[in-house]
Amino acid sequence: MSLIRRFANLFHRSQLDEEIDAELRSHIEMRTADNIAAGMSPQEARRQAVLRFGSRPAMKERVVAADAHVFLYSVWQDLRYGLRALRKSPGFTAVAVLTLALGIGANSAMFSVVDAVLLRPLPFDNPSRLMMIGEGFPSLGFPNIGVSAQDFTIYAREQKSFESIGAFQNKNFDLSGGAEPERAIGARVSASIFQTLGAQPLLGRTFTAREDNPGIHVVVLSYGLWQRRYAGNRAIVGRIITLDRVPYTVIGVMPKQFRFPMRGPQDMIAENNQPADLWVPLGLTPEELQWNGMYANAVLGRLKPGITFRQAQAEANVLSEQIEHQYPAGLLKAFNDARLHMWVSSFHNEVVSSVRTLLLVLMAAVSMVLLIACANVATLLLSRATSRQREIAIRTALGASRLRLARQMLTESLVLAAAGGVIGILIARVGAGALLSLAPSTIPLPHEVSFSGSVLLFVGFVCCLTTIIFGLAPAFPSSGTAFQGSLQESGRSGTPAPSQQHLQKTFVIAEFALAFVLLISAGLLIRSLAQILRTNPGFRPDHVLTMSVPLPDEAYSKASEIRNFYQRLARRVSDLPDVGSTTITTDLPTGRAMAVALKIQERPGLEPPVDVSWILGNYFSTMGIRLIKGRVFTPEDRAGSQAVVIISDGIAKKFWPRGDAIGKHLVIAGTPGMATVVGIVGDADDAALGTTPWPHVYVPYLQVPDELLEDKEFNFARAMKLAVRTSLDPTVLTSALTTQ
């Protein structure tokens, strides 16, 4: 009943004030009567009684402060008073709110990205138990190369740590039939992948173990593709669609939130680095299951209950040795006794590891911006408090306690922080989208971020934190002596107290220090960027247009068909107006190249793998790679002629530092026997700019053996890149190239 009465009193303050006044008068009258009885005069007795109870307003404050409803009412009074005070200073209010809005907005935008990428669990069932399994040869400089099909089958059969395990690899498809043909991002997945992820279809079903075999043409669609191409038609299940000119039966549609493969470094065999639009059975062929040196699969597993990451890694170490025994005799020994290493890592960690440091650094930077904003606003509030010394002195003289004044100041600060937070959220919604749009597509960030409850809680926390940081500085007034001085100045503007001057200097120093740190960081970043821009990548990217030209497996199954298509394409593009030179290649500079084993005739054993590119046409003139010595390939360098290669300057200096590499012989995978070095070209960056180029070997595309072109596992040779150098703006040729 007492709580109900107090809540009701919140809406009847005037009645409560009358009751408190009556109670105080009663106590003063009783004290006056006691004083008269003690021998005092009536005037002196009343004066002593009043002194005993103190100032009536101050006494009333102390009496009612214990009542919860009055506290709430006083907070409401503080809020209204703070709003009036800030409204009287629109310039100060606007500057303070905008300063805080920029700081809070930048932090909220950055936190929304951090929350979506680093903090939020992956959208799968119990994602903490999902693990990536991979292979590598650390001693050869390849710690992570995927998993070969043969190794996957052995590991899946022998392992005891995972309740389910599956492999996947990205594969693009030509989707035709019905609407306009399009290039769809797809993935070959084991039937167990959906079970491992704990994902259920929205419509239909997923693959069965029987369907995970070669020649079974069924497909599961993503929600996005279902909506975009088939208008969300629920009758899609059971229909036939055409992929790479082969009919596939649609057996299911996944939910909207299902996105797989996740963007991240585990997409080692994916150039697009994007979630798939559709999924087909992995269906490993007998050729794939034979050892062929192709580590083209990513492997995902779900830990059994009670099994830890360390136990899974220990088992992987043991199985690495068993799998090594299945390799061709003497293979690893030829690579200086290289050892196979199987690793186990959190799926979430593999998805976000490449951007974790970047996001945390950016989060630290915007946090400094917020601290600078807080220090700036605190300095403004201290300056404003100087002009309010007389007001504060009068309120103190009337009985306001130091805590009561501090609460008033903090309330005003909270109003500023709340206003800054509201505007900051609007800035964050725009800023987060702009931040993601600026990020390269190769960085595994989501296309969009949602402002979830955690983001809003973060904004509320930041508002409270900023209130404390910049609100406490002017919250506690100076000593009573200073207040007396303010009252004695009779209207003259007060001067800051020494403590306030010290705080102002402290905040100015803090602002300068934080800004200096940010300035130095920005300077170092600009310096690094300038160094990268000054770096000679070894090729000329200007006035070059590139595009991918993959061929469907079923439509181009013969080596002659594949070879003839790319030759005709090169000729037709070369005949276009304003085309200077044309090339077709398996990879481009700064892109992913295939690594193969290298054997130098004059040296025992095998060398560490090198990057190899299969090229057709005028590759070096098109890409602007300098010919140092020897010659480039000619049309006569084809099947049946002497096998030739061109090597990078790095290889020439490494293996023939004192002699001429021209005319030397080497063997690389995919070449017909011993190949002769006919040219040396400059090193070109095949990874991020500024990194050390890998040793590179170039092979004529026309000398690729037929069996390699027809090997579906070797998809490099049927997923070529077209590059054209022109004197015009390269985009002018886009429409002309797409019609070829």
Side-chain angles (χ1 to χ4, degrees), residues 147-176:
V147 180
S148 71
Q150 183 191 46
D151 295 354
F152 165 67
T153 56
I154 298 174
Y155 185 86
R157 182 179 65 246
E158 301 296 333
Q159 65 84 26
K160 307 297 181 185
S161 299
F162 298 93
E163 62 183 32
S164 62
I165 188 172
F168 62 92
Q169 55 179 259
N170 288 64
K171 175 179 172 60
N172 292 337
F173 293 91
D174 287 329
L175 174 59
S176 57

Short mmCIF file of all heavy atoms in Angstrom, two decimals, residues 147-176:
data_model
loop_
_atom_site.label_atom_id
_atom_site.label_comp_id
_atom_site.label_asym_id
_atom_site.label_seq_id
_atom_site.Cartn_x
_atom_site.Cartn_y
_atom_site.Cartn_z
N VAL A 147 41.96 -29.88 -49.30
CA VAL A 147 42.05 -31.32 -49.03
C VAL A 147 41.80 -32.06 -50.34
O VAL A 147 40.86 -31.76 -51.07
CB VAL A 147 41.02 -31.76 -47.97
CG1 VAL A 147 41.12 -33.25 -47.70
CG2 VAL A 147 41.20 -30.97 -46.68
N SER A 148 42.65 -33.01 -50.64
CA SER A 148 42.44 -33.81 -51.85
C SER A 148 41.28 -34.77 -51.62
O SER A 148 40.94 -35.12 -50.49
CB SER A 148 43.70 -34.59 -52.20
OG SER A 148 43.93 -35.63 -51.27
N ALA A 149 40.66 -35.21 -52.73
CA ALA A 149 39.51 -36.11 -52.63
C ALA A 149 39.89 -37.43 -51.96
O ALA A 149 39.15 -37.97 -51.13
CB ALA A 149 38.94 -36.36 -54.02
N GLN A 150 41.06 -37.96 -52.32
CA GLN A 150 41.50 -39.22 -51.72
C GLN A 150 41.73 -39.07 -50.22
O GLN A 150 41.30 -39.90 -49.42
CB GLN A 150 42.78 -39.70 -52.40
CG GLN A 150 43.26 -41.05 -51.89
CD GLN A 150 44.65 -41.39 -52.38
OE1 GLN A 150 45.54 -40.54 -52.34
NE2 GLN A 150 44.85 -42.62 -52.85
N ASP A 151 42.39 -37.98 -49.83
CA ASP A 151 42.66 -37.76 -48.41
C ASP A 151 41.36 -37.57 -47.63
O ASP A 151 41.24 -38.01 -46.48
CB ASP A 151 43.56 -36.54 -48.23
CG ASP A 151 44.94 -36.76 -48.83
OD1 ASP A 151 45.22 -37.89 -49.27
OD2 ASP A 151 45.73 -35.80 -48.87
N PHE A 152 40.38 -36.90 -48.25
CA PHE A 152 39.09 -36.69 -47.58
C PHE A 152 38.40 -38.01 -47.27
O PHE A 152 37.86 -38.21 -46.18
CB PHE A 152 38.20 -35.80 -48.44
CG PHE A 152 36.76 -35.81 -48.02
CD1 PHE A 152 36.36 -35.28 -46.80
CD2 PHE A 152 35.79 -36.38 -48.85
CE1 PHE A 152 35.03 -35.30 -46.42
CE2 PHE A 152 34.47 -36.40 -48.47
CZ PHE A 152 34.08 -35.87 -47.25
N THR A 153 38.38 -38.90 -48.24
CA THR A 153 37.70 -40.18 -48.01
C THR A 153 38.38 -40.98 -46.90
O THR A 153 37.70 -41.63 -46.09
CB THR A 153 37.66 -41.01 -49.31
OG1 THR A 153 39.00 -41.18 -49.80
CG2 THR A 153 36.84 -40.30 -50.37
N ILE A 154 39.71 -40.95 -46.86
CA ILE A 154 40.42 -41.66 -45.79
C ILE A 154 40.12 -41.03 -44.44
O ILE A 154 39.81 -41.72 -43.45
CB ILE A 154 41.94 -41.67 -46.07
CG1 ILE A 154 42.25 -42.41 -47.37
CG2 ILE A 154 42.69 -42.29 -44.90
CD1 ILE A 154 43.70 -42.34 -47.78
N TYR A 155 40.19 -39.71 -44.37
CA TYR A 155 39.95 -39.02 -43.10
C TYR A 155 38.52 -39.25 -42.62
O TYR A 155 38.28 -39.51 -41.43
CB TYR A 155 40.23 -37.52 -43.27
CG TYR A 155 40.13 -36.75 -41.99
CD1 TYR A 155 41.22 -36.65 -41.12
CD2 TYR A 155 38.95 -36.12 -41.61
CE1 TYR A 155 41.13 -35.93 -39.94
CE2 TYR A 155 38.84 -35.42 -40.44
CZ TYR A 155 39.94 -35.32 -39.60
OH TYR A 155 39.84 -34.63 -38.42
N ALA A 156 37.55 -39.13 -43.54
CA ALA A 156 36.14 -39.30 -43.16
C ALA A 156 35.89 -40.72 -42.65
O ALA A 156 35.07 -40.93 -41.74
CB ALA A 156 35.24 -38.99 -44.36
N ARG A 157 36.59 -41.70 -43.21
CA ARG A 157 36.39 -43.10 -42.80
C ARG A 157 37.04 -43.40 -41.45
O ARG A 157 36.48 -44.15 -40.63
CB ARG A 157 36.95 -44.02 -43.89
CG ARG A 157 36.75 -45.50 -43.60
CD ARG A 157 37.29 -46.38 -44.71
NE ARG A 157 38.74 -46.28 -44.84
CZ ARG A 157 39.36 -45.78 -45.89
NH1 ARG A 157 38.66 -45.30 -46.92
NH2 ARG A 157 40.69 -45.72 -45.93
N GLU A 158 38.19 -42.81 -41.18
CA GLU A 158 38.96 -43.17 -40.00
C GLU A 158 38.71 -42.28 -38.78
O GLU A 158 38.96 -42.70 -37.66
CB GLU A 158 40.46 -43.14 -40.34
CG GLU A 158 40.88 -44.08 -41.45
CD GLU A 158 40.67 -45.53 -41.09
OE1 GLU A 158 40.70 -45.85 -39.89
OE2 GLU A 158 40.48 -46.35 -42.01
N GLN A 159 38.25 -41.06 -38.97
CA GLN A 159 38.13 -40.13 -37.85
C GLN A 159 37.03 -40.56 -36.88
O GLN A 159 36.04 -41.18 -37.27
CB GLN A 159 37.88 -38.71 -38.36
CG GLN A 159 36.57 -38.49 -39.10
CD GLN A 159 35.39 -38.22 -38.18
OE1 GLN A 159 35.56 -37.75 -37.05
NE2 GLN A 159 34.20 -38.54 -38.63
N LYS A 160 37.19 -40.20 -35.60
CA LYS A 160 36.22 -40.53 -34.55
C LYS A 160 35.73 -39.29 -33.80
O LYS A 160 34.92 -39.41 -32.89
CB LYS A 160 36.86 -41.49 -33.53
CG LYS A 160 37.48 -42.74 -34.13
CD LYS A 160 36.46 -43.61 -34.82
CE LYS A 160 37.11 -44.89 -35.38
NZ LYS A 160 36.15 -45.71 -36.16
N SER A 161 36.23 -38.11 -34.18
CA SER A 161 35.92 -36.90 -33.41
C SER A 161 34.66 -36.20 -33.87
O SER A 161 34.06 -35.43 -33.10
CB SER A 161 37.10 -35.91 -33.51
OG SER A 161 38.28 -36.46 -32.99
N PHE A 162 34.21 -36.44 -35.09
CA PHE A 162 33.09 -35.69 -35.66
C PHE A 162 31.89 -36.60 -35.87
O PHE A 162 32.03 -37.73 -36.35
CB PHE A 162 33.49 -35.05 -36.99
CG PHE A 162 34.61 -34.04 -36.87
CD1 PHE A 162 35.93 -34.44 -37.06
CD2 PHE A 162 34.35 -32.73 -36.55
CE1 PHE A 162 36.96 -33.53 -36.94
CE2 PHE A 162 35.37 -31.81 -36.42
CZ PHE A 162 36.68 -32.21 -36.62
N GLU A 163 30.73 -36.08 -35.52
CA GLU A 163 29.51 -36.85 -35.73
C GLU A 163 29.07 -36.83 -37.19
O GLU A 163 28.35 -37.72 -37.65
CB GLU A 163 28.39 -36.35 -34.83
CG GLU A 163 27.96 -34.91 -35.07
CD GLU A 163 26.90 -34.46 -34.10
OE1 GLU A 163 26.90 -34.93 -32.95
OE2 GLU A 163 26.08 -33.61 -34.48
N SER A 164 29.48 -35.81 -37.92
CA SER A 164 29.24 -35.76 -39.37
C SER A 164 30.32 -34.90 -39.99
O SER A 164 30.85 -33.98 -39.36
CB SER A 164 27.85 -35.20 -39.70
OG SER A 164 27.72 -33.87 -39.23
N ILE A 165 30.65 -35.20 -41.23
CA ILE A 165 31.73 -34.51 -41.91
C ILE A 165 31.40 -34.49 -43.40
O ILE A 165 30.81 -35.43 -43.94
CB ILE A 165 33.08 -35.20 -41.65
CG1 ILE A 165 34.24 -34.37 -42.20
CG2 ILE A 165 33.10 -36.60 -42.20
CD1 ILE A 165 35.61 -34.92 -41.78
N GLY A 166 31.73 -33.38 -44.07
CA GLY A 166 31.43 -33.26 -45.49
C GLY A 166 32.42 -32.35 -46.18
O GLY A 166 33.11 -31.55 -45.55
N ALA A 167 32.50 -32.49 -47.50
CA ALA A 167 33.40 -31.68 -48.31
C ALA A 167 32.58 -30.83 -49.27
O ALA A 167 31.43 -31.16 -49.60
CB ALA A 167 34.37 -32.56 -49.09
N PHE A 168 33.17 -29.73 -49.72
CA PHE A 168 32.51 -28.87 -50.70
C PHE A 168 33.55 -28.14 -51.52
O PHE A 168 34.69 -27.97 -51.10
CB PHE A 168 31.56 -27.88 -50.02
CG PHE A 168 32.23 -26.91 -49.09
CD1 PHE A 168 32.66 -25.67 -49.53
CD2 PHE A 168 32.42 -27.23 -47.75
CE1 PHE A 168 33.28 -24.78 -48.67
CE2 PHE A 168 33.03 -26.34 -46.88
CZ PHE A 168 33.46 -25.11 -47.34
N GLN A 169 33.15 -27.73 -52.70
CA GLN A 169 34.00 -26.91 -53.55
C GLN A 169 33.11 -26.05 -54.45
O GLN A 169 32.05 -26.49 -54.89
CB GLN A 169 34.95 -27.76 -54.40
CG GLN A 169 34.27 -28.82 -55.24
CD GLN A 169 35.24 -29.61 -56.07
OE1 GLN A 169 35.39 -29.36 -57.27
NE2 GLN A 169 35.91 -30.57 -55.45
N ASN A 170 33.54 -24.83 -54.68
CA ASN A 170 32.75 -23.91 -55.50
C ASN A 170 32.85 -24.29 -56.97
O ASN A 170 33.89 -24.75 -57.45
CB ASN A 170 33.22 -22.47 -55.30
CG ASN A 170 32.83 -21.93 -53.95
OD1 ASN A 170 33.28 -22.42 -52.93
ND2 ASN A 170 31.97 -20.93 -53.94
N LYS A 171 31.77 -24.07 -57.67
CA LYS A 171 31.73 -24.35 -59.10
C LYS A 171 30.66 -23.47 -59.74
O LYS A 171 29.51 -23.48 -59.32
CB LYS A 171 31.41 -25.83 -59.36
CG LYS A 171 31.24 -26.18 -60.84
CD LYS A 171 30.95 -27.65 -61.00
CE LYS A 171 30.58 -27.98 -62.44
NZ LYS A 171 31.67 -27.64 -63.39
N ASN A 172 31.04 -22.70 -60.73
CA ASN A 172 30.09 -21.86 -61.44
C ASN A 172 29.35 -22.66 -62.50
O ASN A 172 29.89 -23.59 -63.10
CB ASN A 172 30.80 -20.67 -62.08
CG ASN A 172 31.34 -19.70 -61.04
OD1 ASN A 172 30.84 -19.66 -59.92
ND2 ASN A 172 32.33 -18.93 -61.40
N PHE A 173 28.09 -22.26 -62.75
CA PHE A 173 27.25 -22.95 -63.72
C PHE A 173 26.63 -21.94 -64.68
O PHE A 173 26.32 -20.80 -64.29
CB PHE A 173 26.11 -23.71 -63.02
CG PHE A 173 26.57 -24.87 -62.18
CD1 PHE A 173 26.85 -24.70 -60.83
CD2 PHE A 173 26.70 -26.13 -62.73
CE1 PHE A 173 27.26 -25.76 -60.06
CE2 PHE A 173 27.11 -27.21 -61.95
CZ PHE A 173 27.39 -27.02 -60.62
N ASP A 174 26.42 -22.39 -65.92
CA ASP A 174 25.60 -21.63 -66.86
C ASP A 174 24.16 -22.08 -66.66
O ASP A 174 23.80 -23.23 -66.99
CB ASP A 174 26.05 -21.89 -68.30
CG ASP A 174 27.37 -21.21 -68.62
OD1 ASP A 174 27.63 -20.15 -68.04
OD2 ASP A 174 28.14 -21.75 -69.44
N LEU A 175 23.33 -21.20 -66.13
CA LEU A 175 21.93 -21.51 -65.85
C LEU A 175 21.08 -21.00 -67.00
O LEU A 175 21.05 -19.80 -67.29
CB LEU A 175 21.51 -20.86 -64.52
CG LEU A 175 20.03 -20.97 -64.14
CD1 LEU A 175 19.61 -22.43 -64.03
CD2 LEU A 175 19.79 -20.24 -62.82
N SER A 176 20.39 -21.90 -67.67
CA SER A 176 19.58 -21.52 -68.82
C SER A 176 18.20 -22.15 -68.70
O SER A 176 17.93 -22.95 -67.81
CB SER A 176 20.26 -21.94 -70.13
OG SER A 176 20.51 -23.33 -70.13
#
